[in-house]
Amino acid sequence: PLTLEVKRQKRAQKHTQARRLTQEQIQPGTPEPVEGRVHVHVQTELYLEEISDRIIEVDGECQTDEFLDRPPTPLFIPAKSGKDVATQIEKGELFDFDIEVKPILEVLVGKTVEQALLEVMEEEELSQLWSHQRAFAELRNAEFAELQRLEEQDRRIREEKERRRLEHLEKLRKQKETAEKIAARAFAQRYLADLIPSVFNNLHDSGFFYDPIERDIETEFLPWLMSEVEEELQKKVLGRMMLDSLIRMVVEKRLDEFSRPPPAAQTKAPAEEPGVTDAAPKMSGEEDAADQPVAEKEETDQPVAEEEPS
């Protein structure tokens, strides 16, 4: 591509130089102005007149004079200086149109054809340049798109790599944390293996772990049962005390009666003995009567003791 570009530039320079030479040959030759001056178009005729696109027309009138017309002033012709020299040239000696026009015509036609060829080549070259420019633009756009795709792919790869690295670090951290937890759990289990049974035994001995039914029986039923039994025992003891007091009173009374001497007026001693015998059954009847209410009371109180727990 660089060699083609250099060749194209050289060819364009050659075409420019040829075009410049052609224009210089076609245009009339005029010497270049000296430094500090420029060429200016001036009027070189004998009479000065204003140059304009439209001729100014003015109507005017005049009155003839009485005098005769004065002849026009002759032109000023300066006196000749030097010597006049002349050369006689016959017709056809210096210039023959038919012969001299051929090279000029050949040059004109050749230059015209060359100029046309140069213009055609220039147009073709311009079209090729445009096509190369379009191809270069398409190639540049394709390369730019590919570059963007590669940059995006590289970015995604870097992000994925960074994400994988973070995931790996997180995984290692979790593994380390899990290993530490397992080690701590094993150490705690080994350390607390003997502690937990002893603590449970102490708590069980202290009464923190108990059977609710057994606890309810111990705290509710047994105290009530003991109070009821104690009350029944007190009633029985009271009944026995009353019975003992009655027996004591009867015995003292009989002892009193037997200790006193019988009266002399009584003649029917045998008739009194049945009274004594009758008193004994009476006493036994009193004892039975004293014992009977207690037994009945025990029988009446027993169902109450059995119904209250339910």
Side-chain angles (χ1 to χ4, degrees):
L2 296 176
T3 306
L4 294 175
E5 187 69 23
V6 172
K7 289 182 180 180
R8 192 177 297 109
Q9 291 179 0
K10 289 183 178 180
R11 191 182 304 166
Q13 291 178 0
K14 289 181 180 180
H15 292 169
T16 306
Q17 292 177 0
R19 188 181 306 165
R20 186 183 299 110
L21 291 174
T22 304
Q23 291 178 358
E24 289 178 356
Q25 291 177 1
I26 293 174
Q27 293 178 357
T30 304
E32 295 293 334
V34 297
E35 186 177 359
R37 297 184 180 181
V38 294
H39 290 300
V40 178
H41 295 281
V42 297
Q43 187 175 0
T44 57
E45 296 182 359
L46 296 177
Y47 298 97
L48 297 176
E49 61 181 3
E50 184 179 359
I51 299 174
S52 61
D53 296 338
R54 180 175 177 275
I55 299 174
I56 300 174
E57 297 178 356
V58 179
D59 295 335
E61 297 179 356
C62 64
Q63 181 66 34
T64 58
D65 199 0
E66 296 178 353
F67 300 100
L68 296 174
D69 293 333
R70 182 177 176 275
T73 303
L75 295 175
F76 174 74
I77 299 174
K80 292 182 179 181
S81 61
K83 295 180 180 180
D84 293 335
V85 178
T87 303
Q88 184 178 0
I89 299 173
E90 299 294 337
K91 185 180 180 181
E93 289 182 356
L94 295 179
F95 181 75
D96 189 358
F97 181 79
D98 295 335
I99 296 173
E100 298 294 337
V101 80
K102 287 182 180 180
I104 297 174
L105 185 61
E106 288 178 358
V107 171
L108 291 175
V109 172
K111 290 297 180 181
T112 304
V113 173
E114 185 180 0
Q115 183 68 23
L117 291 175
L118 288 176
E119 290 179 358
V120 172
M121 291 174 64
E122 185 178 359
E123 291 178 357
E124 187 68 23
E125 187 176 359
L126 287 175
S127 64
Q128 290 181 1
L129 287 174
W130 282 111
S131 64
H132 283 296
Q133 188 175 3
R134 286 193 298 270
F136 176 74
E138 292 177 358
L139 181 61
R140 184 182 62 182
N141 294 332
E143 290 179 353
F144 184 71
E146 184 67 17
L147 178 62
Q148 288 182 344
R149 188 184 66 81
L150 293 175
E151 289 179 353
E152 185 66 20
Q153 184 179 1
D154 188 17
R155 185 184 64 79
R156 290 198 301 269
I157 291 173
R158 282 189 284 103
E159 291 180 356
E160 183 69 19
K161 185 177 179 181
E162 184 68 18
R163 187 175 62 81
R164 293 290 181 84
R165 187 179 68 82
L166 294 176
E167 288 180 356
H168 183 65
L169 293 177
E170 185 68 18
K171 183 178 180 181
L172 292 177
R173 187 184 65 78
K174 288 184 178 180
Q175 288 181 356
K176 184 178 178 181
E177 185 178 356
T178 304
E180 292 178 355
K181 287 182 179 180
I182 293 173
R185 183 173 178 272
F187 178 75
Q189 287 181 353
R190 186 178 297 177
Y191 181 75
L192 299 176
D194 299 332
L195 181 61
I196 294 175
S198 61
V199 170
F200 274 98
N201 291 330
N202 292 331
L203 292 175
H204 189 272
D205 295 338
S206 299
F208 288 95
F209 300 103
Y210 54 85
D211 188 3
I213 299 175
E214 183 179 356
R215 186 64 175 272
D216 190 14
I217 292 172
E218 291 177 356
T219 57
E220 299 293 336
F221 178 71
L222 289 180
W224 174 82
L225 184 60
M226 292 298 294
S227 63
E228 293 293 329
V229 170
E230 186 177 358
E231 186 178 356
E232 292 294 329
L233 291 176
Q234 288 179 0
K235 290 179 180 180
K236 289 183 178 181
V237 170
L238 182 60
R240 289 177 181 177
M241 290 176 64
M242 291 177 66
L243 180 61
D244 292 341
S245 62
L246 291 174
I247 293 171
R248 186 179 297 107
M249 288 173 63
V250 171
V251 170
E252 288 178 356
K253 188 176 179 180
R254 292 183 66 182
L255 181 61
D256 242 355
E257 290 179 356
F258 282 112
S259 62
R260 285 183 299 178
Q266 290 180 356
T267 56
K268 296 180 180 180
E272 292 179 356
E273 292 178 0
V276 176
T277 57
D278 293 332
K282 186 176 180 180
M283 289 174 63
S284 63
E286 289 178 356
E287 290 175 1
D288 294 334
D291 293 332
Q292 187 175 1
V294 175
E296 289 178 359
K297 189 174 183 180
E298 289 178 357
E299 290 177 0
T300 54
D301 293 335
Q302 187 66 24
V304 176
E306 292 178 357
E307 288 178 1
E308 286 186 0
S310 62

